[in-house]
Amino acid sequence: MGDPERFLRAAEGHARGFWARGARWAAHAGVLDTVRDAGGPGRPARIRAAAERIVGGHGEADGVRLYGGFAFRDRGTTSGWWSEYPPALFHLPEVELDGEGRGAATLRVRALLAPDDDPEAEELRLQSEADAWVERMAAADAPLRPALRGRTEEGNRIAWEFAVERTLEAIAGGGIRKAVLARTLDVELERLVSPVDLVCALWRQHTGTHAFLFEPEPGRALLGAAPEALVTLRGDEFAATSVAGSVAAGETPEDQDRLAEGLLASAKDRAEQRVVTEEMITRLEAAGHEVDADPQPHVLSLARIQHLETEIRAVVREGDALDLVDLLHPTPAVCGLPREAALDFLARTEPFERGWYAGAVGWFDPEGDGHFVPALRMAVGDGRAWRLFAGAGIVDGSVPSSEWEETTIKFQPVLSALMECGVEFDDRASLNGLSEMSRDD
């Protein structure tokens, strides 16, 4: 029962989602109802009200979650790569499976009852549907993965490095202190790679991250593996992580320890990470929440990279997970400082639409709890064509050529997952740098 890959393969042709941190995971399929929002002031209240209209009056809401997320910008473009991703979108799924590792898991099949529905008859129908899902999962064997060719196409390096120079000029002029400048890498495959295979490869390769998949329409998937958590709220207990500053993981345990010590000793990396932490704490305290954070950062060691990380906790006096996302997103780790000036600068400088890249993805429930992460180390696509995103934090002293190489490293999680799925790339230039150094997302 506890096999999210089988469940997601059995859900082929349905809207699907997958959310994991370490061994804990949740997967869902189908759509009972949808919450959409076009953005603007009052968004959390509107989304809460829409969710209440869906679940209110349909019985006990305990255990109900709505899954989805938000675009990077409050009013994002919804065309091209992002045609199925409005500024805010959440699904109440028909079927959920959640568990830990390959052990026991809980399967839930739901329906929204009308006043004249027969509850006993509906319960029998749902039990039959649950049995059918168990049979589908048992039959959903892993497909063969024959090798297939793929090619990559990066954006113009000269143009991107010129944009970094423009960013440095804006910083020198005092308009901004930092901007997280992103670029893209397009991947074309000779045939489809399932988003389920791809996200599960990411999950296996990067167990310390927050792996996610959201496929609101069959064949239009967003997936990734974020190193940090933006909002985790249970009751009045809030938790998040502030992540910035990076170094390679190293080839041996000794290398890892040596590189981690160097990262902790880096004044520049610590200063960049401190800015992110202090901004998050300041916003939480200004909203009246009682904040407690680690006094010093520690090293978060992942499969190929290590980061400086600070754990932030708070007692939330008022509001819910949606309010906290609205309060904190976008953090300086994915946008820059000051927030509004950096957002305006990026909108004028980046030659593409970010869509949900670096937006907040996850879930919330009617009680106000929720879990959201920034959509990083990610790709969006239809199975044959994928667009990958990566960003670098540009600050005074940044070197354009180095920033290009640093963003190259951040494409590696998805590229490596594609290779595990059988892709052989014609151009290996974009696959270099697995052990190089990077900083912010």
Side-chain angles (χ1 to χ4, degrees):
M1 174 68 78
D3 190 335
E5 291 184 62
R6 283 183 174 273
F7 173 81
L8 291 166
R9 285 198 296 270
E12 182 75 31
H14 298 263
R16 296 179 288 190
F18 176 69
W19 316 84
R21 167 68 173 181
R24 290 288 308 170
W25 52 267
H28 56 90
V31 184
L32 281 180
D33 215 327
T34 300
V35 173
R36 294 174 181 263
D37 192 86
R43 181 175 66 178
R46 291 194 301 273
I47 293 175
R48 275 193 300 271
E52 177 59 29
R53 285 193 295 271
I54 293 171
V55 302
H58 290 284
E60 185 59 55
D62 284 351
V64 172
R65 292 177 176 178
L66 286 87
Y67 297 88
F70 303 93
F72 174 73
R73 292 184 178 86
D74 189 30
R75 297 180 184 273
T77 301
T78 58
S79 60
W81 292 95
W82 302 107
S83 59
E84 304 298 334
Y85 293 87
L89 175 66
F90 290 89
H91 284 174
L92 175 63
E94 292 179 308
V95 189
E96 291 176 76
L97 184 73
D98 62 79
E100 184 166 358
R102 303 289 180 177
T106 301
L107 177 70
R108 301 179 183 88
V109 182
R110 291 194 175 92
L112 296 179
L113 299 183
D116 56 350
D117 285 339
D118 181 347
E120 293 185 1
E122 190 64 16
E123 184 175 351
L124 290 173
R125 186 189 70 79
L126 291 176
Q127 182 59 59
S128 177
E129 184 65 17
D131 293 340
W133 273 97
V134 172
E135 292 178 4
R136 292 186 203 116
M137 290 167 59
D141 294 327
L144 295 176
R145 292 179 181 171
L148 69 155
R149 306 301 298 178
R151 65 179 183 87
T152 61
E153 181 178 348
E154 294 181 303
N156 185 288
R157 177 167 183 164
I158 294 174
W160 193 81
E161 291 188 3
F162 178 70
V164 176
E165 294 284 4
R166 287 183 57 196
T167 308
L168 291 169
E169 291 172 2
I171 292 170
I176 54 175
R177 292 169 53 195
K178 170 186 177 180
V180 182
L181 195 65
R183 67 182 182 95
T184 62
L185 175 70
D186 290 341
V187 175
E188 291 284 343
L189 307 176
E190 64 180 353
R191 60 178 180 273
L192 296 175
V193 166
S194 166
V196 172
D197 291 343
L198 192 51
V199 76
C200 288
L202 272 171
W203 182 35
R204 286 189 293 269
Q205 293 180 5
H206 303 275
T207 55
T209 63
H210 303 264
F212 58 88
L213 162 69
F214 186 50
E215 189 177 7
E217 294 287 341
R220 299 298 302 176
L222 167 81
L223 54 87
E228 67 246 54
L230 175 68
V231 169
T232 301
L233 183 66
R234 291 182 176 86
D236 64 355
E237 296 182 358
F238 165 87
T241 52
S242 163
V243 173
S246 307
V247 73
E251 299 298 323
T252 67
E254 292 76 18
D255 285 343
Q256 178 170 303
D257 291 343
R258 175 180 55 80
L259 291 165
E261 289 173 4
L263 183 62
L264 281 170
S266 168
K268 180 176 170 117
D269 285 314
R270 290 189 71 133
E272 291 185 12
Q273 200 269 343
R274 187 182 309 117
V275 164
V276 178
T277 303
E278 290 177 351
E279 174 73 3
M280 294 176 71
I281 291 173
T282 297
R283 287 184 173 273
L284 288 165
E285 289 181 337
H289 307 310
E290 182 181 327
V291 183
D292 173 39
D294 294 345
Q296 299 293 333
H298 60 266
V299 175
L300 170 66
S301 295
L302 302 174
R304 294 187 178 91
I305 199 166
Q306 302 181 86
H307 298 285
L308 291 176
E309 177 185 65
T310 297
E311 295 183 5
I312 301 172
R313 299 163 295 276
V315 176
V316 173
R317 299 304 185 191
E318 185 177 357
D320 61 11
L322 295 172
D323 292 314
L324 290 163
V325 170
D326 210 47
L327 176 70
L328 296 173
H329 176 76
T331 72
V334 300
C335 175
L337 278 174
R339 178 193 281 183
E340 294 305 321
L343 280 168
D344 180 64
F345 178 82
L346 292 173
R348 291 183 284 108
T349 304
E350 291 178 340
F352 53 84
E353 175 56 46
R354 283 197 179 199
W356 282 34
Y357 165 67
V361 296
W363 60 266
F364 71 95
D365 67 23
E367 288 73 42
D369 293 351
H371 177 69
F372 288 88
V373 304
L376 300 175
R377 313 292 158 85
M378 60 140 285
V380 62
D382 62 7
R384 186 168 181 177
W386 295 94
R387 169 160 284 188
L388 285 59
F389 293 80
I394 312 303
V395 297
D396 185 26
S398 292
V399 178
S401 59
S402 298
E403 303 299 339
W404 178 272
E405 299 304 325
E406 290 170 358
T407 51
T408 296
I409 298 163
K410 293 171 182 174
F411 293 132
Q412 301 311 313
V414 175
L415 290 173
S416 297
L418 283 165
M419 293 171 69
E420 183 178 321
C421 294
V423 178
E424 297 176 354
F425 287 99
D426 295 327
D427 177 10
R428 299 191 60 83
S430 61
L431 306 181
N432 295 330
L434 284 173
S435 61
E436 298 293 335
M437 183 177 176
S438 65
R439 288 199 288 272
D440 282 353
D441 282 295

